[in-house]
Amino acid sequence: MNSFTYIVPILFGFILISYVVLKLYLLRPTIKLSVQHMARLLALAKQSLESLDVPIGALLIYQNEIIGEGCNTVLHASDAGGHAEINAISHAIHRMGMEQFSALDRASLFLVATFEPCLMCTGAFINYNIKNVYFLKEKDTLYLMKEAMRFIRYYFRRGKMNHKGEQDALFEEHPQYPLRKVNITSE
């Protein structure tokens, strides 16, 4: 048998599993936004249109109060990270401070967006422990599968450099780094 006979079933299995995983959100209960929250969400999305950005708005809601909001500003601000969801998180952290934001009960924290978030925004949700994410419109399944393939391709193509000691030294200089090796008598 040649390697092609093994690759086809593996690829088919990956595609099938990806499809199931990508559609698991359909099993979650839906939420209904208040009229005010929905109006603000749509106004933010429309605000993006003024600078010809992709019309997406996002709200970060804690205990039914908006604590952060954002719209796409990638073109307007020439900012690759200017996605609506990232802007909503940044807005909340700027208003509250990182310590207070980190202390929020994550069961009561929701991010709602007009469109299904990208991988970059998903990474921010993971990094900031935002567990409840809802969106008005989902991405096409084929697009999601392509996005998953790009994510896997990244992991196969990433590489490391032979200079990790320099980064470790920088981490150790940070006063709040948990693994900091400090001689207490020298401080």
Side-chain angles (χ1 to χ4, degrees), residues 72-86:
N72 270 2
T73 58
V74 174
L75 296 176
H76 176 71
S78 299
D79 179 8
H83 290 206
E85 301 87 345
I86 302 291

Side-chain angles (χ1 to χ4, degrees), residues 11 44 51 94 101 113-114 123-124 150 162 179:
L11 189 58
L44 288 164
S51 58
H94 181 75
F101 179 78
T114 56
R150 285 195 302 267
N162 292 327
L179 302 177

Side-chain angles (χ1 to χ4, degrees), residues 19-32:
Y19 178 77
V20 170
V21 168
L22 293 171
K23 292 298 181 177
L24 279 177
Y25 74 89
L26 294 171
L27 301 175
R28 291 193 69 194
T30 59
I31 63 167
K32 185 155 178 68

Side-chain angles (χ1 to χ4, degrees), residues 32-162:
K32 185 155 178 68
L33 288 178
S34 69
V35 172
Q36 295 84 3
H37 288 161
M38 181 62 85
R40 184 63 188 145
L41 184 64
L42 294 175
L44 288 164
K46 287 181 182 176
Q47 186 177 329
S48 298
L49 285 172
E50 294 172 13
S51 58
L52 300 179
D53 276 290
V54 178
I56 298 176
L59 297 173
L60 199 56
I61 300 171
Y62 183 70
Q63 296 179 342
N64 210 29
E65 295 293 323
I66 297 172
I67 62 168
E69 59 182 39
C71 63
N72 270 2
T73 58
V74 174
L75 296 176
H76 176 71
S78 299
D79 179 8
H83 290 206
E85 301 87 345
I86 302 291
N87 288 336
I89 295 167
S90 296
H91 182 234
I93 292 170
H94 181 75
R95 285 180 57 203
M96 303 174 77
M98 182 59 87
E99 192 172 321
Q100 188 178 357
F101 179 78
S102 297
L104 296 175
D105 174 21
R106 291 317 200 235
S108 301
L109 183 65
F110 293 82
L111 188 132
V112 293
T114 56
F115 193 55
E116 186 170 3
C118 70
L119 286 175
M120 178 179 68
C121 296
T122 303
F125 305 150
I126 293 167
N127 193 48
Y128 291 102
N129 198 21
I130 299 171
K131 301 174 183 176
N132 300 302
V133 177
Y134 294 89
F135 44 87
L136 299 181
K137 179 171 175 45
E138 71 274 359
K139 291 180 179 174
D140 178 78
T141 302
L142 184 59
Y143 180 85
L144 287 173
M145 293 173 81
K146 287 178 183 177
E147 202 170 56
M149 291 298 292
R150 285 195 302 267
F151 185 70
I152 290 168
R153 188 172 46 231
Y154 160 76
Y155 269 93
F156 282 111
R157 291 184 176 171
R158 68 191 173 130
K160 62 180 183 172
M161 297 169 40
N162 292 327

